């Protein structure tokens, strides 16, 4: 668990640093670490201490799964609503090989060739 937490909390790409996704990344990495501790706690309570029976263990794991997947998807969906996704440098270089206006995406605009050739 310590290597997972260290990797999530300490490692961050150069493109993400000082971007709008910085706070979202920090929140999600902290949230995933907390949920990982929750998985360890449920295993400890059910497997080692035998405080939870099998039904309680299944319910606890299901709740943790819902927390990890559900909240993470809500946070990603909420954060990406305001973001304008730009092209990667390799995609921009590829688009510069094709003539015509390109609004978004990786492929050339087929209407340009029909109208201008």
């Amino acid at each position: 668990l310590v290597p997972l937490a260290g990797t999530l909390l300490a490692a961050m790409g150069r493109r993400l640093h000082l971007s709008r996704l910085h706070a979202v990344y920090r929140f999600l990495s902290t949230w995933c670490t907390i949920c990982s501790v929750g998985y360890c706690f449920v295993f400890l309570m059910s497997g080692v201490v035998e405080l939870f029976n099998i039904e309680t263990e299944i319910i606890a794991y299901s709740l943790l799964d819902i927390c990890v997947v559900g909240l993470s998807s809500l946070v990603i969906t909420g954060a990406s609503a305001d973001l304008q996704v730009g092209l990667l440098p390799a995609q921009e270089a590829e688009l510069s090989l094709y003539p015509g206006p390109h609004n978004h995406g990786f492929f050339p605009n087929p209407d340009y060739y029909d109208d201008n050739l």
Side-chain angles (χ1 to χ4, degrees), residues 75-109:
V75 167
I76 290 170
T77 302
S80 63
D82 298 334
L83 295 177
Q84 295 291 330
V85 179
L87 295 174
L88 296 173
Q91 290 173 325
E92 289 178 0
E94 179 73 22
L95 280 176
S96 68
L97 298 174
Y98 300 109
H102 304 287
N103 295 332
H104 66 281
F106 189 69
F107 299 103
N109 186 354

Side-chain angles (χ1 to χ4, degrees), residues 21-83:
L21 290 176
H22 179 76
V24 175
Y25 178 82
R26 288 289 185 194
F27 172 76
L28 286 176
S29 61
T30 305
W31 180 248
C32 289
T33 304
I34 290 171
C35 289
S36 298
V37 170
Y39 283 112
C40 294
F41 178 74
V42 170
F43 174 75
L44 182 71
M45 289 294 125
S46 61
V48 178
V49 180
E50 296 181 3
L51 184 65
F52 294 163
N53 59 6
I54 191 70
E55 291 87 12
T56 309
E57 179 183 7
I58 291 172
I59 291 171
Y61 282 136
S62 299
L63 288 174
L64 279 170
D65 289 342
I66 290 171
C67 287
V68 170
V69 175
L71 186 69
S72 299
S73 357
L74 285 175
V75 167
I76 290 170
T77 302
S80 63
D82 298 334
L83 295 177

